[in-house]
């Protein structure tokens, strides 16, 4: 009967679709046998729950709620109410046999059967007319079989006396002896059986009405949750489609900007390479001339006498001076660094898609900045200076009703504020953030309360089709208008702080920009020194063979 009971039940929706009988176990799908009640008010057979308890706790197979079990059986207590219903149902379904003539009656003939409460036996209609009409059975209580009573519910188990009273304090029936044995203050809580029955029926009706209201609310909640699940599914699909669409457009924009940047890099590369090659060709043609004149000068000094030196020496010196004074481009006219500002370009092409706030660059003066750093030894601004990207601020004329300004989400802003306040620096902006958070939380709570009220009214109007008092709507509208005034006032107060904070921010931006320019200039000066040293090393290596050859010639001519 309990085969496969350890497999988990299906979802609640599957259980709702199934035709569940109230007297049939949800695990074994058989009539209850010793039904047990869990703390979550779900019932199962004792055999179906046996072996499921662990460490004194038993988890409901339907909802998973844990129940505390006591005793060595590892089972919750038996549900007496459900057991009574099961027994009553079983009694009504079995065939009944007359105690006098042994005649069996089918289910269709049960209405014609009687029951003698005195004898405790069922009787068919003929036997009731023939046997129980005698004088000896005149005091017997004969009722219809469907209205029979049981001794266990009719007489006291302790005194074997019929029940006549009911204790509202102990919720138990009393016989005359039980009533006599009670204390005086407890007797005040005793009423007769009929009154107790009527009061119990009224309380049961109230409890049933409360359960019905809960049932209605539960069904509405289920419908609402199903609708929200569908909305979540649709929202997820829309969000995925939006993400894919935005990602596709970002890829297209980035791909186009990538092509543009690569073309710009190639163009810079060709221009710089062409300029360097021209300068290199000029220097390469200059170097042999210099070498020839150096050799000529050395040979002239070695071979000419005083008269020849005075005759031709000044001509040689004049030629050498004119060669030195010629405009020779010994230093590179530009750096070898190719800078396309690709990060800023990529960010700029994504701003329209991501609806980012406009950004501005803080560029310092190109004049003198410090010792040894002037506008002449710095690279052009477009090539070496870094750009400080900072969030732009809308003009002072913007109001709350102006165009949409995209800012950080509330949760992101809240976390950033927490981090700022956790740093412990007492600045005017930190104090402003601390005051802002308290005011914002209060306004947010008020708005949430109004949203809940409007949602409740909307549900009553659409679901229950109930009338809504005009005073409630007027009150909500009045509160909403008051909240609008408070929010506008708070917004104006925050807006007034803009000028104060902008001064501080501008000083910070300028300081950071200057530090960036000084840093870039330092790197540029070091790079320039390195390039000069590299050129000096190259020239030294090229001159070395000629120096050695001149030295050998001088050694040969020295004896002369």
């Amino acid at each position: 009967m309990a085969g496969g009971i350890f497999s988990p039940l299906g979802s609640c929706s599957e259980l709702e679709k199934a035709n569940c009988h109230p007297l049939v176990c949800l695990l074994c799908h058989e009539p209850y046998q010793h039904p047990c009640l869990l703390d979550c008010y779900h019932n199962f057979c004792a055999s179906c729950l046996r072996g499921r308890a662990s460490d004194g706790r038993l988890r409901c197979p339907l909802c998973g709620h844990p129940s505390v079990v006591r005793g060595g059986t590892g089972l919750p207590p038996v549900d007496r109410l459900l057991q009574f219903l099961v027994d009553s149902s079983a009694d009504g379904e079995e065939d009944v046999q007359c105690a006098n003539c042994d005649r069996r009656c089918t289910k269709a003939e049960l209405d014609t059967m009687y029951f003698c409460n005195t004898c405790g036996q069922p009787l068919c209609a003929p036997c009731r007319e023939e046997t129980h009409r005698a004088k000896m059975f005149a005091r017997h209580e004969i009722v219809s079989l469907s209205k029979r009573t049981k001794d266990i519910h009719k007489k006291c188990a302790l005194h074997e006396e019929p029940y006549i009273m009911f204790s509202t304090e102990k919720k138990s029936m009393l016989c005359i002896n039980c009533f006599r044995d009670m204390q005086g203050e407890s007797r005040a809580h005793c009423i007769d059986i009929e009154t107790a029955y009527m009061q119990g029926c009224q309380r049961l009706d109230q409890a049933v009405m409360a359960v019905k209201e809960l049932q209605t609310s539960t069904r509405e909640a289920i419908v609402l949750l199903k609708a929200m699940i569908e909305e979540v599914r649709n929202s997820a699909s829309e969000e995925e489609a939006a993400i894919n669409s935005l990602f596709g457009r970002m890829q297209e924009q980035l791909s186009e900007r990538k092509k543009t940047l690569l073309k710009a890099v190639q163009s810079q590369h060709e221009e710089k390479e062409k300029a360097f090659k021209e300068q290199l060709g000029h220097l390469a043609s200059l170097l042999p001339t210099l070498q020839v004149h150096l050799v000529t000068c050395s040979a002239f000094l070695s071979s000419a006498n005083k008269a020849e030196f005075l005759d031709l020496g000044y001509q040689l010196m004049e030629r050498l001076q004119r060669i030195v004074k010629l405009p020779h481009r010994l230093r590179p006219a530009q750096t070898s660094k190719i800078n396309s500002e690709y990060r800023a370009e990529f960010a700029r092409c994504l701003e329209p898609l991501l609806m980012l706030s406009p950004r501005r660059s803080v560029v310092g003066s190109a004049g003198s900045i410090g010792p040894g750093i002037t506008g002449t030894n710095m690279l052009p601004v477009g090539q070496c200076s870094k750009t400080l990207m900072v969030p732009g601020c809308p003009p002072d004329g913007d109001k709350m009703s102006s165009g949409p300004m995209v800012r950080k989400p509330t949760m992101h802003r809240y976390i950033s504020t927490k981090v700022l306040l956790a740093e412990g620096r007492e600045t005017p902006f930190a104090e402003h953030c601390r005051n802002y958070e308290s005011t914002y939380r209060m306004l947010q709570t008020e708005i949430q309360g109004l949203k809940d009220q409007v949602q409740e009214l909307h549900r009553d109007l659409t679901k229950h089709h109930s009338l809504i008092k005009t005073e409630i709507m007027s009150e909500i509208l009045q509160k909403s208008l008051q909240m609008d005034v408070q929010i506008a006032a708070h917004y104006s107060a925050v807006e007034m702080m803009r000028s104060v904070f902008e001064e501080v921010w501008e000083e910070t931006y300028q300081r950071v920009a200057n530090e960036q320019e000084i840093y870039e200039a330092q790197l540029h000066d070091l790079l320039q020194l390195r390039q000069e040293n590299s050129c000096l090393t190259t020239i030294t290596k090229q001159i070395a063979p000629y120096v050695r050859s001149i030295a050998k010639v001088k050694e040969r001519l020295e004896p002369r």
Side-chain angles (χ1 to χ4, degrees):
M1 178 179 66
I5 60 175
F6 291 98
S7 60
L9 287 176
S11 62
C12 293
S13 59
E14 296 177 356
L15 186 62
E16 184 179 352
K17 293 179 181 178
N19 187 13
C20 299
H21 195 279
L23 301 181
V24 173
C25 178
L26 296 174
L27 287 177
C28 62
H29 304 291
E30 297 288 341
Y32 282 112
Q33 297 291 334
H34 305 289
C36 297
L37 180 65
L38 301 180
D39 293 346
C40 56
Y41 297 98
H42 288 137
N43 295 92
F44 301 96
C45 295
S47 58
C48 296
L49 296 178
R50 187 169 288 110
R52 287 179 175 266
S54 177
D55 297 333
R57 290 185 175 273
L58 192 151
R59 194 169 293 277
C60 177
L62 181 60
C63 65
H65 182 79
S67 300
V68 179
V69 293
R70 298 179 178 84
T73 60
L75 295 174
V78 176
D79 189 354
R80 295 178 56 235
L81 175 62
L82 188 57
Q83 185 66 50
F84 167 77
L85 297 177
V86 171
D87 294 341
S88 301
S89 175
D91 292 342
E93 292 179 357
E94 62 184 5
D95 294 340
V96 180
Q97 182 179 3
C98 179
N100 188 38
C101 64
D102 296 335
R103 174 174 173 265
R104 288 187 174 276
C105 296
T106 61
K107 297 180 181 180
E109 300 175 341
L110 291 180
D111 294 338
T112 62
M113 292 292 293
Y114 297 90
F115 189 83
C116 179
N117 289 328
T118 306
C119 299
Q121 297 293 337
L123 295 172
C124 63
C127 293
R128 176 182 181 276
E129 297 295 334
E130 296 176 0
T131 61
H132 269 60
R133 290 296 184 182
K135 292 183 179 181
M136 60 181 300
F137 302 114
R139 295 182 177 273
H140 285 208
E141 182 182 3
I142 301 174
V143 296
S144 175
L145 183 63
S146 60
K147 297 182 180 181
R148 66 175 184 174
T149 58
K150 297 181 179 179
D151 291 340
I152 188 172
H153 297 301
K154 187 177 180 180
K155 293 184 179 181
C156 177
L158 180 62
H159 303 105
E160 293 296 331
E161 294 289 338
Y163 290 122
I164 60 172
M165 303 292 288
F166 180 80
S167 174
T168 58
E169 180 183 15
K170 298 181 179 180
K171 301 297 186 294
S172 61
M173 293 185 291
L174 307 173
C175 66
I176 185 61
N177 294 329
C178 295
F179 181 76
R180 290 173 180 174
D181 295 340
M182 293 181 65
Q183 298 180 357
E185 58 271 13
S186 299
R187 293 183 180 181
H189 299 281
C190 296
I191 57 178
D192 61 280
I193 294 292
E194 188 66 24
T195 304
Y197 175 74
M198 296 299 297
Q199 292 181 359
C201 290
Q202 293 177 358
R203 293 185 179 181
L204 182 60
D205 290 340
Q206 296 175 358
V208 168
M209 291 299 298
V211 172
K212 286 184 177 180
E213 292 180 359
L214 178 59
Q215 183 186 39
T216 303
S217 301
T218 303
R219 289 175 176 171
E220 293 178 356
I222 290 175
V223 172
L224 178 61
L225 289 176
K226 287 182 178 179
M228 293 185 68
I229 290 174
E230 185 66 25
E231 290 180 1
V232 167
R233 186 181 297 110
N234 296 335
S235 178
S237 301
E238 294 176 358
E239 196 73 10
E240 291 175 0
I243 290 173
N244 292 330
S245 175
L246 178 60
F247 183 72
R249 287 185 291 164
M250 290 173 63
Q251 283 184 319
E252 294 176 359
Q253 291 288 341
L254 291 176
S255 178
E256 294 177 359
R257 191 57 58 94
K258 172 188 172 184
K259 294 178 181 179
T260 305
L261 291 175
L262 291 178
K263 289 181 180 179
V265 170
Q266 186 65 26
S267 176
Q268 290 187 33
H269 169 249
E270 293 175 356
E271 292 177 1
K272 288 180 180 289
E273 187 177 21
K274 181 180 179 181
F276 288 149
K277 284 183 178 180
E278 291 178 356
Q279 188 175 2
L280 180 61
H282 170 72
L283 296 178
S285 63
L286 176 64
L287 190 60
T289 304
L290 298 176
Q291 293 173 353
V292 168
H293 281 78
L294 289 175
V295 172
T296 302
C297 182
S298 299
F300 176 76
L301 289 174
S302 302
S303 59
N305 55 24
K306 293 181 180 179
E308 293 172 340
F309 178 84
L310 293 176
D311 184 24
L312 301 174
Y314 284 99
Q315 183 180 356
L316 178 60
M317 283 186 278
E318 188 175 339
R319 181 186 299 182
L320 294 178
Q321 289 176 358
R322 284 198 300 266
I323 292 175
V324 172
K325 290 182 180 180
L326 289 176
H328 303 298
R329 293 179 296 172
L330 299 179
R331 294 185 179 183
Q334 54 187 339
T335 66
S336 59
K337 179 68 175 177
I338 295 179
N339 188 5
S340 62
E341 296 290 345
Y342 62 91
R343 297 181 185 275
E345 290 296 329
F346 282 141
R348 194 173 296 113
C349 78
L350 293 180
E351 280 182 358
L353 296 178
L354 299 180
M355 295 182 293
L356 298 176
S357 58
R359 299 176 181 271
R360 63 178 180 178
S361 60
V362 179
V363 182
S365 173
S368 177
I369 299 178
I373 304 175
T374 61
T376 58
N377 60 7
M378 287 184 61
L379 290 177
V381 175
Q383 297 179 1
C384 70
S385 63
K386 295 294 181 181
T387 302
L388 178 63
M389 309 302 290
V390 296
C393 298
D396 295 337
D398 290 350
K399 300 298 181 181
M400 294 182 65
S401 59
S402 61
M405 296 186 300
V406 179
R407 291 290 184 260
K408 292 183 178 179
T410 301
M411 184 53 63
H412 192 178
R413 189 265 309 159
Y414 177 72
I415 296 175
S416 300
T417 305
K418 284 293 184 182
V419 174
L420 176 64
L421 297 179
E423 293 177 356
R425 292 184 298 178
E426 293 297 333
T427 61
F429 188 74
E431 182 64 23
H432 160 72
C433 291
R434 193 176 292 107
N435 298 332
Y436 173 86
E437 287 300 322
S438 61
T439 307
Y440 178 80
R441 293 298 174 191
M442 180 186 67
L443 295 175
Q444 190 180 38
T445 303
E446 295 290 339
I447 292 295
Q448 186 61 41
L450 291 178
K451 289 167 61 178
D452 293 340
Q453 293 182 18
V454 173
Q455 185 177 7
E456 185 74 18
L457 291 177
H458 183 267
R459 187 187 65 179
D460 292 341
L461 185 62
T462 56
K463 297 291 185 180
H464 299 163
H465 301 288
S466 58
L467 296 177
I468 300 176
K469 294 183 179 180
T470 310
E471 295 79 6
I472 299 178
M473 292 299 301
S474 301
E475 183 180 355
I476 294 178
L477 182 59
Q478 184 67 23
K479 289 183 179 179
S480 177
L481 295 176
Q482 293 177 359
M483 289 302 304
D484 185 70
V485 173
Q486 295 181 15
I487 295 173
H490 187 51
Y491 182 88
S492 300
V494 175
E495 184 70 21
M496 291 176 61
M497 300 293 294
R498 181 188 298 276
S499 58
V500 179
F501 294 140
E502 279 187 344
E503 293 180 1
V504 179
W505 295 336
E506 191 65 33
E507 294 176 359
T508 304
Y509 296 155
Q510 190 63 39
R511 186 183 72 251
V512 173
N514 293 335
E515 292 176 356
Q516 286 180 334
E517 290 186 352
I518 293 172
Y519 173 76
E520 292 296 333
Q522 292 172 350
L523 292 179
H524 173 258
D525 290 344
L526 292 175
L527 181 60
Q528 203 168 30
L529 288 177
R530 184 179 181 184
Q531 290 177 347
E532 292 178 359
N533 181 66
S534 178
C535 293
L536 181 61
T537 304
T538 303
I539 294 175
T540 304
K541 290 180 180 179
Q542 293 176 351
I543 294 178
Y546 296 96
V547 174
R548 286 192 293 268
S549 65
I550 293 174
K552 291 180 181 179
V553 173
K554 187 176 181 180
E555 288 177 359
R556 292 197 209 102
L557 299 177
E558 189 66 30
R560 295 177 56 185

